[in-house]
Amino acid sequence: MTCTVTGGDAGIDILWRAAYNPVFAETGVTLDASGAGTFSFVVPAAALGEVLTVELVGWTAPMSLGVSSGPVPTSVPSGGGPVPVWPLGLLVLAGVLVLRSASRAPRLMPSTREG
């Protein structure tokens, strides 16, 4: 997860702390010339379903980031995509040709005449 700090004094270091009870990440961030900075942390698997908080130590009380959830996929494979129609057309054409050639083949018909 990535958090952004804004509105601080340029160049100061701020200690931040991430927790779900217990604290699982804590370090500092140095704000840039505009008084902003970003920091990131990895949410542990044990925190799933728990309320995450981030605190700017000495500056803010712990702020809720919401309930953590599992990873969200960026895509969900649903198969190989659309099936091309040409193999089915080729199969139908082959069937028609087989039936057509079978209808033209000479046939042996039993005769009822005696001769």
Side-chain angles (χ1 to χ4, degrees), residues 2 4 7 10 18 27 44 53-54 71 79-81 86-87 100-101 105 107 111:
T2 300
T4 302
T27 193
T53 62
V54 171
W86 68 266
R100 197 170 181 194
S101 65
R107 296 183 194 187
S111 175

Side-chain angles (χ1 to χ4, degrees), residues 52-107:
L52 289 179
T53 62
V54 171
E55 175 185 3
L56 300 178
V57 179
W59 295 88
T60 65
M63 296 176 283
S64 174
L65 300 179
V67 176
S68 65
S69 61
V72 178
T74 57
S75 68
V76 178
S78 60
V83 176
V85 179
W86 68 266
L88 180 60
L90 193 58
L91 184 62
V92 169
L93 180 62
V96 168
L97 291 176
V98 167
L99 290 175
R100 197 170 181 194
S101 65
S103 68
R104 290 185 180 173
R107 296 183 194 187

Side-chain angles (χ1 to χ4, degrees), residues 7-70:
D9 294 331
I12 65 169
D13 293 322
I14 296 179
L15 177 65
W16 61 267
R17 185 178 295 150
Y20 67 94
N21 196 13
V23 172
F24 64 88
E26 180 179 50
T27 193
V29 59
T30 301
L31 304 186
D32 63 16
S34 69
T38 60
F39 59 91
S40 297
F41 55 88
V42 176
V43 178
L48 294 179
E50 301 291 331
V51 175
L52 289 179
T53 62
V54 171
E55 175 185 3
L56 300 178
V57 179
W59 295 88
T60 65
M63 296 176 283
S64 174
L65 300 179
V67 176
S68 65
S69 61

